[in-house]
Amino acid sequence: MLFKDLLGKKTLFFDGAMGTMLQAAGLKPGELPELWNFSHAGEVEKIHTAYLNAGADIIKTNTFGANRLKFAGTEIKTADVIEQAVAIAKKACAKKPGSFVALDMGPTGKLLAPYGDLPFEEAVSIYAEIVQAGVKAGADLILIETMSDTYELKAALLAAKENSSLPVVATMTLDEGGKLLTGGDITAAAVMLEGLGADAVGFNCGLGPAQMQKLLPQLLAAMPLPAVLNPNAGLPKEVNGKTVFDVDAEEFAQLMYAMAQDGSLAIMGGCCGTTPAHIAALVNKCRNVVPRQRSCDLTAVAAYGSAVVIGQKPVIIGERINPTGKPRLKQAILNGDYDYICRLGLEQIDRGAGILDVNVGVPGIDEATVSAEAVQRLQAITSVPLQIDTSNYEAMARSLRLYNGKPLLNSVCGKEESLEKVLPLVKKYGAAVVALTLDDSGIPQTAEGRIAIAEKIIARAAEYGIEKRNIIVDPLALTISTGSDNANIDLQVLSELKKRGIKTVMGVSNISFGLPARDAVNSAFFVLAMQAGLSCAIINPQSEAMMNAYYAFGALSGLDEGCKEYVAMFAGAAQAKQQPVQTAEYTLYEAIVKGLREQSEKAVKEQLAGKQPLDIINAEMIPALDYVGKGFEERRIFLPQLLMSAEAAKAAFNVIRDKMAAEGGSQSNGIKVILATVKGDIHDIGKNIVKVLFENYGYLVIDLGKDVPPEKIAETAVQNKVSVVGLSALMTTTVGAMEETIKALRAAGDFKIIVGGAVLTQDYADSIGADCYAPNAVSAVNYANSLQ
């Protein structure tokens, strides 16, 4: 029987930790686990067999880190590693009929652009190479695991879908607050993965079962797919020089049963620290649990950082990034002035927009290129979802592909060409889509005619596997200046669609086209539309009349519990939010906080005309970085915003550096810091983030890169008389190399040592002799600053 035939109908069990077992078999710190497929094939097979004998149904291939980035500079071919690993796993599974081989794909170790240096399409290509090799070798399914970035998740899942027909299980690694490294939350990641076609979704690594238990309800509420949990055996600590985990087999099984007993979990297994004993106890405890079939009527769109649920209360879609009637924006699009586009977006978010409409349709441009660039630029500095608004099919395809999350696409209509072109894109890229109630005959003049078109689109979408909950119907507001019954028709359509459980969206201001004092008509119609059931309103959130109507409706309808949003809007400092403003230039401080690189450069050049460089650094730049850093630590600001702010500050620093160099000065504090990812580990995301922040605070950073031997780090520290050394490791198989590096540094001199990485804890850092455990980049810089 195939894996997909059993998924969700019978509880299935993954194996446990390959790294833990390889270390027990003699894998040395820093040694590449994947090479054991050649040098110790028998040992790898024994590990697979031990897990199968323990009751596992699914064996993960020993390929977690097998990708061309890891093997760069060697003669090792990724395809050869994959082929050998699958062959070993298949040989083991042949002894247990009915077991399955999962092609294991872990993170590349790189952060994707715009926050890192790995382009999205290159990431897709890297994973495609792995998938192609795995399919050829005979894997039964694909496991994408230990992912901490929604964009990398999307790249891997697209590669899997575009290069195979195998079922795909996708699991992500979260912190205890339920956030990915790049700030994504569970709902945002889950709705994206469901849309892109994952067959099962869940969590692995980073946390033990007790911590995952607190997060599981969010996952179950976000999607109907079978849920997967592969926790660590608790949290790591060092005992007698060895890394151990604090949850034994029986406790592990009991904690997992507590989550599985009601049928919530379809697949269970283990990650770091889990052994065949853990899996045997798990299978024994949970073998008779039957997964329950779950449904989900959630309509949501998402960016990397957050999801917006449609249908609970009206959602504001900011309409200002649309060049129609906006000569300043039209010129910005023609000039490639993306900072101006971003400022329009940020201003609308500040005034209450939950989603941003993005339309760059100007004659004479390559709309596909400009649309994709605008989407990426906006996603770089804000985490709200975007509505991709275009009638250009190529622009749709490119923007949807490069979008980080689950987008809203505007739009499809009842015309045959539109249905045939748009719906396949919606399905492939997992979008929600606006359905316009028009067809080849135009816009019907009756509510019944528009509803019929909506039903036609929904039926056609179902043929592509697109659920009704992902169709958001636009009744199309026609101005009352040309038809006195136009408003009533729209309200009838809204009311009827609400009864049928269909979500709606409307460009509200179209109702007043051609009339004077349009805000009066718009705001009154807006209230009537929300009362009739409007789910999303495309409006200008900088219109005082419209936002007054919105917040008043929320308070009057009971959707704003305790009138909290209404009071926040109109009380005290929030009063300024309702005042209409013109898009203005940001100060240097504001540009850094917002993450606007070009604006930061412009602002600092203006300030240098009348201020001393060090005064600018101390008065605006450092306070801005401190503000963002504090927000990051308090979880008000997340990694992408932190990195974009750091890049904006770096751009400003470069301008100042050039001026000071010309005048014989320097902005550096003169303190040297070494950063390195330890031997055997090629994951340098954390190190690179720390590097950016250290440089922005004036430190001289010596970046030794990844997979760095202990002796090289110690030698460099002595030669350069550094004060601080920062070490990073992601995998349990490489934390031993971190301890060896610390010992080498202690023997070589007196250095302050900072350690960080997903597998580390404060207790573990203390046990290996580190001076500072840094759970994030800001804490690393704060520690270094405290030494001065």
Side-chain angles (χ1 to χ4, degrees):
M1 188 170 284
L2 299 175
F3 170 80
K4 205 162 187 176
D5 295 331
L6 297 175
L7 180 61
K9 300 179 179 65
K10 171 188 174 182
T11 300
L12 298 171
F13 297 94
F14 266 116
D15 55 10
M18 173 60 71
T20 297
M21 297 298 289
L22 289 175
Q23 287 175 317
L27 181 74
K28 297 177 182 178
E31 192 176 358
L32 295 180
E34 294 79 14
L35 297 189
W36 272 46
N37 293 320
F38 301 105
S39 61
H40 297 76
E43 290 295 333
V44 175
E45 184 185 345
K46 285 180 184 178
I47 293 169
H48 289 326
T49 301
Y51 281 122
L52 289 166
N53 291 340
D57 304 298
I58 312 164
I59 293 300
K60 300 187 288 281
T61 57
N62 182 29
T63 56
F64 175 79
N67 63 68
R68 65 177 181 242
L69 295 181
K70 188 168 191 174
F71 303 137
T74 74
E75 295 182 358
I76 302 168
K77 295 182 179 179
T78 303
D80 292 343
V81 176
I82 301 296
E83 181 180 354
Q84 177 71 359
V86 173
I88 295 170
K90 286 175 70 69
K91 184 178 179 182
C93 286
K95 305 168 190 172
K96 183 182 178 181
S99 56
F100 304 100
V101 174
L103 173 64
D104 190 354
M105 301 199 306
T108 61
K110 291 285 188 180
L111 194 61
L112 272 64
Y115 313 115
D117 58 3
L118 181 63
F120 178 78
E121 291 296 353
E122 184 178 346
V124 175
S125 173
I126 289 168
Y127 285 113
E129 182 180 12
I130 299 168
V131 171
Q132 291 163 4
V135 170
K136 184 178 179 181
D140 300 303
L141 65 142
I142 295 169
L143 171 64
I144 303 168
E145 67 163 343
T146 321
M147 289 291 183
S148 58
D149 176 6
T150 54
Y151 213 23
E152 188 167 26
L153 265 169
K154 179 172 181 173
L157 187 47
L158 275 179
K161 289 295 182 178
E162 291 176 347
N163 293 277
S164 82
S165 59
L166 295 178
V168 182
V169 176
T171 57
M172 56 191 126
T173 298
L174 306 158
D175 63 21
E176 290 194 51
K179 290 285 187 179
L180 297 170
L181 172 68
T182 51
D185 62 25
I186 293 168
T187 302
V191 299
M192 181 195 76
L193 290 168
E194 181 197 356
L196 289 169
D199 295 281
V201 172
F203 311 146
N204 84 291
C205 204
L207 303 173
Q211 293 79 23
M212 287 188 181
Q213 184 173 19
K214 299 174 184 176
L215 305 178
L216 180 60
Q218 296 178 51
L219 179 71
L220 299 178
M223 53 94 197
L225 299 177
V228 187
L229 284 191
N230 286 335
N232 290 348
L235 300 175
K237 57 185 178 180
E238 179 162 312
V239 177
N240 298 325
K242 293 185 177 181
T243 301
V244 298
F245 289 78
D246 61 6
V247 174
D248 64 20
E250 291 304 318
E251 183 182 1
F252 183 85
Q254 187 59 47
L255 288 168
M256 294 292 282
Y257 179 74
M259 291 181 275
Q261 60 183 324
D262 66 350
S264 292
L265 299 178
I267 311 178
M268 291 175 277
C271 203
C272 299
T274 55
T275 65
H278 287 82
I279 301 305
L282 174 65
V283 173
N284 183 58
K285 188 73 176 177
C286 300
R287 73 169 79 240
N288 295 322
V289 175
V290 178
R292 59 184 170 89
Q293 297 297 311
R294 296 185 300 104
S295 61
C296 180
D297 61 357
L298 191 73
T299 299
V301 293
Y304 73 84
S306 62
V308 171
V309 176
I310 296 171
Q312 295 179 346
K313 59 180 293 187
V315 175
I316 300 297
I317 301 178
E319 69 179 6
R320 294 192 64 212
I321 306 177
N322 185 321
T324 304
K326 302 183 184 73
R328 174 67 181 88
L329 175 58
K330 180 178 179 180
Q331 194 60 48
I333 293 170
L334 290 171
N335 294 343
D337 184 359
Y338 293 101
D339 253 25
Y340 180 79
I341 295 171
C342 288
R343 294 206 305 276
L344 285 178
L346 291 169
E347 288 171 0
Q348 293 180 93
I349 294 167
D350 288 344
R351 295 172 194 283
I355 299 172
L356 295 178
D357 183 79
V358 183
N359 184 322
V360 295
V362 174
I365 65 167
D366 178 350
E367 187 175 347
T369 299
V370 175
S371 178
E373 182 68 17
V375 165
Q376 290 180 294
R377 291 290 192 102
L378 283 161
Q379 288 208 292
I381 51 91
T382 177
S383 63
V384 303
L386 304 181
Q387 175 174 266
I388 298 168
D389 185 359
T390 179
S391 58
N392 182 304
Y393 300 130
E394 184 183 356
M396 285 183 189
R398 289 186 62 180
S399 296
L400 288 171
R401 185 173 183 84
L402 294 174
Y403 185 89
N404 186 356
K406 178 180 178 178
L408 177 58
L409 177 64
N410 189 1
S411 58
V412 68
C413 70
K415 295 180 180 180
E416 196 60 34
E417 179 187 2
S418 178
L419 295 168
E420 291 179 354
K421 294 283 189 179
V422 177
L423 292 179
L425 293 175
V426 172
K427 176 60 177 177
K428 177 174 181 176
Y429 294 112
V433 64
V434 173
L436 305 182
T437 53
L438 65 86
D439 58 16
D440 292 301
S441 299
I443 302 173
Q445 296 302 305
T446 65
E448 293 77 13
R450 296 186 200 181
I451 291 168
I453 293 175
E455 294 285 10
K456 171 188 174 182
I457 295 172
I458 291 170
R460 287 292 296 274
E463 295 175 9
Y464 288 90
I466 302 166
E467 295 183 47
K468 181 177 75 172
R469 62 191 172 105
N470 286 316
I471 309 293
I472 305 171
V473 176
D474 186 345
L476 295 173
L478 300 179
T479 177
I480 56 174
S481 66
T482 60
S484 58
D485 205 32
N486 281 340
N488 289 327
I489 292 172
D490 282 318
L491 296 175
Q492 289 175 40
V493 176
L494 291 172
S495 179
E496 181 59 31
L497 292 176
K498 182 180 180 182
K499 292 177 185 176
R500 302 185 188 195
I502 298 169
K503 309 302 188 299
T504 52
V505 61
M506 185 187 295
V508 176
S509 62
N510 291 339
I511 203 71
S512 66
F513 187 76
L515 294 175
R518 294 182 64 186
D519 268 356
V521 175
N522 293 343
S523 58
F525 178 64
F526 187 22
V527 171
L528 293 173
M530 288 188 286
Q531 183 64 37
L534 181 64
S535 308
C536 306
I538 304 173
I539 67 169
N540 177 8
Q542 291 177 275
S543 164
E544 179 180 350
M546 296 298 279
M547 296 310 290
N548 285 354
Y550 177 73
Y551 287 107
F553 176 81
L556 290 166
S557 64
L559 293 173
D560 178 8
E561 187 175 352
C563 301
K564 293 176 183 177
E565 291 184 359
Y566 181 88
V567 171
M569 176 67 182
F570 295 106
Q575 181 72 21
K577 284 189 175 182
Q578 63 175 317
Q579 302 303 322
V581 298
Q582 298 298 317
T583 300
E585 303 288 335
Y586 285 121
T587 66
L588 177 58
Y589 177 93
E590 291 169 336
I592 291 173
V593 169
K594 299 290 188 181
L596 298 173
R597 181 186 178 93
E598 290 86 353
Q599 187 64 32
S600 295
E601 291 176 333
K602 182 177 180 180
V604 78
K605 288 176 182 176
E606 291 174 353
Q607 291 210 20
L608 282 170
K611 294 183 180 180
Q612 292 298 312
L614 290 178
D615 290 339
I616 298 172
I617 292 172
N618 292 327
E620 293 210 47
M621 299 181 66
I622 296 301
L625 288 170
D626 287 343
Y627 173 84
V628 174
K630 184 177 181 182
F632 181 74
E633 289 188 318
E634 294 175 351
R635 303 179 65 78
R636 294 181 287 104
I637 291 173
F638 297 100
L639 181 63
Q641 296 139 293
L642 177 73
L643 289 176
M644 294 311 295
S645 292
E647 285 298 317
K650 184 177 179 180
F653 267 118
N654 288 340
V655 174
I656 290 176
R657 179 199 60 204
D658 292 343
K659 181 176 177 62
M660 294 184 74
E663 297 175 352
S666 172
Q667 85 279 12
S668 170
N669 62 22
I671 300 174
K672 296 178 181 178
V673 176
I674 284 177
L675 297 178
T677 301
V678 298
K679 183 174 176 56
D681 204 319
I682 56 94
H683 300 86
D684 60 358
I685 291 175
K687 172 187 67 65
N688 292 341
I689 294 166
V690 173
K691 177 183 178 181
V692 171
L693 286 192
F694 266 115
E695 288 177 338
N696 278 337
Y697 276 86
Y699 290 86
L700 298 173
V701 177
I702 302 171
D703 183 359
L704 295 181
K706 58 195 177 187
D707 190 19
V708 187
E711 56 273 15
K712 180 177 180 180
I713 297 173
E715 179 182 325
T716 305
V718 172
Q719 289 177 349
N720 291 275
K721 300 180 181 179
V722 303
S723 301
V724 177
V725 177
L727 304 176
S728 174
L730 175 72
M731 302 182 295
T732 53
T733 54
T734 57
V735 290
M738 180 177 281
E739 183 178 7
E740 287 188 5
T741 303
I742 292 175
K743 290 178 180 177
L745 285 165
R746 296 299 183 212
D750 182 17
F751 311 104
K752 294 297 183 182
I753 302 171
I754 304 172
V755 298
V759 295
L760 297 181
T761 63
Q762 181 67 62
D763 289 344
Y764 192 90
D766 292 341
S767 70
I768 61 176
D771 296 295
C772 171
Y773 163 61
N776 55 60
V778 173
S779 58
V781 172
N782 286 343
Y783 174 75
N785 288 342
S786 72
L787 300 175
Q788 297 183 46

